[in-house]
Amino acid sequence: MFFLVHMIVNIPADIPEDEANRIKLLEKQYSQDLQRQGKWPHIWRVVGEYANYSIFDAESNDELHTLLSRLPLFPYMQIKVTPLAKHPSAI
């Protein structure tokens, strides 16, 4: 199943910079691992925002929730998920 996921990141200002950088490094490693596995086939940055639009390929809603909730930045994200279905005109 494909899902369009919009993630907006808002790291609180009171988190020390070294801690924020550590979390971002873990986030990058985890996200790239999911990309290599084919679970996160597309990611696009939103210009001018700390946000992205991504396509996830998950077996179920539950699997997608697990993938997202394991993101190190998850506690600092606003996430909107849109389930996608094949369009009848797609070739």
Side-chain angles (χ1 to χ4, degrees):
M1 297 174 63
F2 290 113
F3 298 89
L4 174 67
V5 181
H6 183 207
M7 294 179 249
I8 300 171
V9 181
N10 186 17
I11 300 173
D14 63 345
I15 292 183
E17 185 177 351
D18 60 332
E19 177 64 9
N21 288 337
R22 185 188 70 78
I23 294 169
K24 291 176 195 178
L25 178 60
L26 293 172
E27 179 86 8
K28 184 175 185 176
Q29 292 169 342
Y30 177 64
S31 69
Q32 289 180 345
D33 184 49
L34 291 178
Q35 290 173 65
R36 287 183 194 95
Q37 292 176 42
K39 294 293 181 181
W40 195 335
H42 300 282
I43 182 170
W44 295 275
R45 180 186 312 195
V46 178
V47 175
E49 299 179 19
Y50 195 173
N52 72 70
Y53 280 95
S54 295
I55 300 293
F56 280 80
D57 186 0
E59 295 297 319
S60 66
N61 294 330
D62 290 331
E63 181 187 24
L64 179 64
H65 180 77
T66 298
L67 295 173
L68 294 174
S69 65
R70 289 181 179 163
L71 288 165
L73 286 171
F74 181 78
Y76 313 112
M77 289 184 177
Q78 175 186 345
I79 299 174
K80 180 180 178 189
V81 175
T82 304
L84 300 173
K86 185 171 173 118
H87 195 283
S89 296
I91 52 174

